[in-house]
């Protein structure tokens, strides 16, 4: 879908720009380096002043948010702590409290900055809603979209955009704002905002973010496209979860044209709030994506035709000072009505982008019939980036020349009207290229010997890391591994055989929200038996697409003979074990065009890896190192066959201990599945099984 026509430039002339140096008081307590630092705001402000943009805007100062407005989305306890954390009484405990949160710091300026950030977004949103301003940009920090009802996380203390949205809907009915679109283009999922409006049909929440099959921060399953809202809000939560990094202008434009814009037209919002994180920008040290300043300008331009152009941008992430300054500059010029030429060196989206878009449309078409229309065809797509690109470190800024080139290209943004029709026509011809559909996983395991370019290393925690090259193995590996049998040991929901068979034969069992794709080999296991192992059972993470809110089972990789965990062992082929490993780590994909299942084209575990594990006891699969079940453990032998299971890496155990990753009790449906497995397997009675699970969930690490 092409963008709705933008309103005349004259109507966009009155643009608010809020900046206040007081929000720079929030900083690390001892001056340590941190990506979310005061220079982010100052760099943007310097750029806007140097280019004459600030003088063309209505410049506003920050205003503190009243507690009653913050309380519309946050608990009273959370508000009290955030407002008092900078006071003298917390001088000795402030750092200790910060460590209890996920990616949070506090100092003596944090409380004031947080209240100002929330109040500033209210201030500009109110003025835009009232017609005093046509649009506005709120340069605020700390950011907000990760902050949840009772918890600060991910650099965010209060959820600034959520507070403002609730204010417009519930406290100012006189402004006539009845429907709000929140567009979150920060590279990270807006988990906090999603939860705050999950059952509210007045708010259409759209988040496009790196998901990486659940491994990218905040590493929660609810960033999946399957999470679409609940009750009255069902269909009003839209996630577009990228499968990998390096997504750029073309990928985001495709998500706009084929998901966001058609739904927005049907929703017809009264105002648009943008959670404007710029950490998907080219050169960002945390995001790993490639949006250019012109790309952000076009994304914003495509929104101007809705809500009478009433748009409020609230700063979220973005940690490369040049990129964030140039990107905000580009957006400010769009709101001021300046025209620009859009050009991109790479106009094809990734094939994974098209697959994600199709999956999102399939999930939502019941609620938004416009998404039922057939997608355009006949455009070649880029294949997934190579492993060296995906896993390359991005901890440094891009070369000054690269950023200067972007800045130079941007300097002419007010010269020529962009050729949007040509771009939309080009992008609308996208079709999944079946010849490029095979998924290149970042691992390729020989079934005989390690390739000379493979390497085995001992990680700092003592675990073994297997780093392998990509190869062009054919599917002959399946034939080879189908002749090798192993015992797969399950300690979680797969202890219940009907649920386990979903991983083999496809479909879903009682309690599951989404089906499994199954294995290429649908043969039932050749044997089943139970045993206990000396590893600690724990429940981690906070939600999954399949089981909803609640933790899921992991085994601590470390052997502890004081622990005893039950495992149900299934005798299956090594091919089937790989297919389970693929599914557990969300590497099996579906071609949205025709429903075909797409498996990785090479195994993660081959015969040589099994032999290696018999000596080293574990392999941490480096190519999928950030996936939840990337650690394969060797638990011994039974009938001369190896016993294998999959769990989290030892590094995740440390993150659970520190609180960086959440420990959470399982959902009722997930716990019931484990109980059925233990009871039907005649290991425990129902009460004993429930006590076993509750004890594992209640204990700290």
């Amino acid at each position: 879908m092409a963008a709705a026509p933008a309103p005349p430039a004259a109507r966009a002339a009155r643009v608010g720009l809020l900046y206040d140096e007081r929000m720079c008081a929030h900083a690390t307590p001892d001056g340590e380096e941190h990506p979310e630092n005061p220079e982010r705001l100052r760099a943007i402000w310097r750029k806007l002043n140097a280019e004459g943009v600030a003088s063309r805007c209505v410049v506003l100062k920050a205003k503190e948010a009243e507690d009653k407005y913050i309380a519309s989305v946050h608990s009273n306890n959370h508000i009290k702590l955030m407002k008092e954390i900078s006071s003298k009484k917390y001088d000795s405990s402030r750092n200790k409290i910060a460590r209890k949160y996920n990616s949070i710091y506090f100092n003596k300026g944090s409380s004031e900055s947080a209240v100002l950030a929330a109040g500033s977004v209210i201030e500009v949103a109110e003025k835009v809603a009232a017609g005093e301003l046509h649009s506005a940009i709120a340069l605020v920090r700390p950011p907000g979209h990760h902050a949840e009802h009772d918890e600060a996380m991910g650099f965010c203390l209060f959820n600034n955009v959520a507070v403002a949205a609730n204010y417009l809907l519930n406290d100012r009915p006189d402004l006539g704002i009845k429907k709000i679109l929140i567009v979150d283009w920060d590279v990270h999922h807006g988990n906090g905002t999603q939860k705050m409006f999950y059952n509210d049909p007045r708010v259409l929440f759209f988040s496009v973010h790196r998901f990486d099959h659940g491994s990218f921060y905040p590493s929660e399953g609810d960033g999946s496209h399957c999470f679409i809202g609940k009750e009255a809000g069902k269909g009003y939560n839209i996630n577009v979860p990228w499968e990998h990094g390096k997504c750029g202008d073309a990928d985001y434009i495709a998500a706009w044209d084929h998901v966001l814009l058609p739904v927005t037209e049907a929703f017809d919002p009264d105002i648009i709030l943008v959670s404007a994180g710029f950490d998907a920008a080219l050169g960002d040290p945390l995001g790993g994506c490639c949006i250019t300043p012109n790309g952000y300008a076009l994304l914003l331009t495509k929104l101007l035709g809705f809500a009478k152009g009433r748009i409020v941008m609230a700063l979220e992430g973005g940690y490369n000072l040049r990129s964030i300054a140039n990107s905000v500059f580009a957006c400010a010029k769009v709101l001021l009505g300046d025209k620009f030429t859009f050009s991109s060196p790479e106009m094809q989206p990734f094939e994974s982008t098209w697959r994600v878009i199709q999956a999102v449309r399939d999930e939502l078409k019941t609620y938004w019939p416009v998404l039922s229309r057939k997608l355009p065809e006949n455009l070649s797509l880029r294949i997934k980036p190579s492993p060296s690109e995906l896993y390359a470190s991005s901890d440094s800024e891009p070369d000054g020349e690269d950023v200067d080139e972007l800045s130079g290209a941007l300097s002419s943004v007010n010269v020529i009207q962009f050729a949007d029709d040509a771009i939309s026509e080009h992008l609308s011809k996208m079709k999944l290229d079946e010849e490029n559909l095979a998924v290149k996983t970042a691992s390729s395991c020989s079934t005989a010997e390690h390739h000379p370019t493979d390497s085995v290393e001992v990680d700092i925690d003592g675990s073994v890391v297997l780093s392998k090259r990509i190869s062009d193995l054919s599917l002959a590996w399946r034939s080879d591994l189908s002749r090798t049998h192993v015992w797969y040991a399950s300690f979680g929901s797969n202890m219940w055989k009907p649920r386990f068979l979903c991983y083999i034969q496809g479909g879903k069992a009682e309690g599951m929200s989404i089906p499994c794709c199954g294995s290429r080999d649908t043969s039932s296991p050749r044997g089943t038996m139970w045993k206990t192992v000396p590893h600690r059972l724990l429940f981690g993470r906070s939600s999954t697409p399949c089981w909803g809110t609640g933790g899921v089972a992991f085994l601590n990789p470390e052997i502890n003979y004081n622990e005893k965990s039950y495992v149900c062992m299934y005798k299956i082929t090594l091919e089937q074990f790989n297919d389970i490993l693929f599914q557990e780590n969300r590497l099996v994909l579906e071609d949205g065009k025709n429903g075909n299942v797409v498996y990785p084209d090479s195994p993660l575990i081959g015969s040589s890896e099994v032999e290696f594990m018999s000596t080293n006891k574990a392999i941490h699969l480096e190519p999928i190192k950030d996936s939840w079940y990337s650690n394969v453990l060797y638990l011994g032998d039974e009938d001369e066959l190896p016993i294998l299971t999959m769990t989290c890496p030892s590094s995740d155990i440390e993150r659970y201990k520190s609180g960086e990753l959440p420990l959470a009790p399982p959902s009722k449906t997930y716990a019931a599945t484990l109980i059925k497995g233990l009871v039907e397997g005649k290991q425990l009675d129902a009460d004993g099984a429930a006590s076993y699970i509750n004890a594992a969930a209640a204990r700290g690490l």
Side-chain angles (χ1 to χ4, degrees), residues 51 98-99 148 285 294 302 324 468 501 516 550 560 586 599 624 626 635 658:
E51 300 290 347
R99 287 193 292 270
E148 300 193 348
N294 276 356
K302 285 174 173 283
I324 194 173
K468 301 186 69 68
L501 289 176
C516 297
N560 183 342
R586 302 178 190 175
Y599 295 83
I624 59 166
D626 294 324
L635 301 177
S658 69

Side-chain angles (χ1 to χ4, degrees), residues 197-213:
F197 299 108
Y198 203 58
N199 61 353
D200 192 339
R202 300 175 300 169
V203 176
L204 175 63
F205 176 66
F206 174 89
S207 178
V208 55
H209 49 270
R210 275 190 68 178
F211 188 58
D212 294 25
H213 306 288

Side-chain angles (χ1 to χ4, degrees), residues 479-691:
S479 176
D480 293 338
L481 300 190
S482 69
R483 296 190 290 269
T484 301
H485 283 83
V486 298
W487 290 101
Y488 162 55
S490 172
F491 47 83
S493 62
N494 285 340
M495 291 191 295
W496 187 41
K497 190 171 182 180
R499 191 274 181 267
F500 163 74
L501 289 176
C502 296
Y503 272 149
I504 300 298
Q505 298 167 355
K508 62 181 183 180
E510 182 182 355
M512 297 170 60
S513 297
I514 56 176
C516 297
C517 297
S519 171
R520 284 281 186 88
D521 178 0
T522 59
S523 304
S524 296
R526 295 194 176 188
T528 304
M529 64 182 301
W530 288 78
K531 69 179 301 180
T532 58
V533 295
H535 291 267
R536 162 74 191 281
L537 176 70
L538 62 130
F539 294 93
R541 307 287 178 162
S542 58
S543 64
T544 63
C546 185
W547 300 103
T549 302
V552 289
F554 296 92
L555 280 188
N556 189 331
E558 182 180 348
I559 294 175
N560 183 342
Y561 290 103
N562 294 319
E563 300 285 352
K564 182 179 77 171
S565 295
Y566 292 92
V567 294
C568 181
M569 306 196 312
Y570 302 97
K571 186 178 179 181
I572 60 175
T573 68
L574 195 49
E575 177 193 10
Q576 290 175 317
F577 181 83
N578 274 279
D579 283 341
I580 295 170
L581 189 57
F582 295 153
Q583 292 173 81
E584 285 281 19
N585 290 292
R586 302 178 190 175
L587 301 176
V588 180
L589 307 169
E590 188 171 319
D591 173 359
K593 185 181 66 169
N594 54 30
N596 290 339
V597 174
V598 183
Y599 295 83
D601 63 356
S602 49
L604 290 166
I605 298 293
S607 299
S608 59
E609 283 70 45
V610 174
E611 181 179 352
F612 179 83
M613 280 189 289
S614 66
T615 301
N616 295 278
K617 305 307 179 188
I619 285 181
H620 183 200
L621 299 167
E622 180 70 11
I624 59 166
K625 61 182 180 180
D626 294 324
S627 296
W628 290 10
Y629 293 93
S630 60
N631 200 16
V632 179
L633 304 185
Y634 176 90
L635 301 177
D637 293 304
E638 186 68 39
D639 294 336
E640 299 183 348
L641 293 179
I643 304 168
L644 307 179
T645 194
M646 55 199 75
T647 187
C648 61
S650 298
S651 58
D652 277 5
I653 298 297
E654 295 306 313
R655 295 170 70 194
Y656 284 122
K657 289 179 179 178
S658 69
E660 182 182 350
L661 289 178
L663 292 169
S667 66
K668 290 182 179 179
T669 52
Y670 185 75
T673 304
L674 273 66
I675 291 171
K676 283 186 280 192
L678 290 162
V679 172
E680 293 178 15
K682 300 181 179 179
Q683 301 304 298
L684 296 168
D685 61 21
D687 290 340
S691 296

Side-chain angles (χ1 to χ4, degrees), residues 361 364-366 368-375:
R361 288 170 63 99
L364 290 163
K365 63 187 178 184
T366 302
W368 304 101
V370 67
L371 299 181
S372 298
R373 298 172 185 169
K374 185 178 179 181
L375 286 171

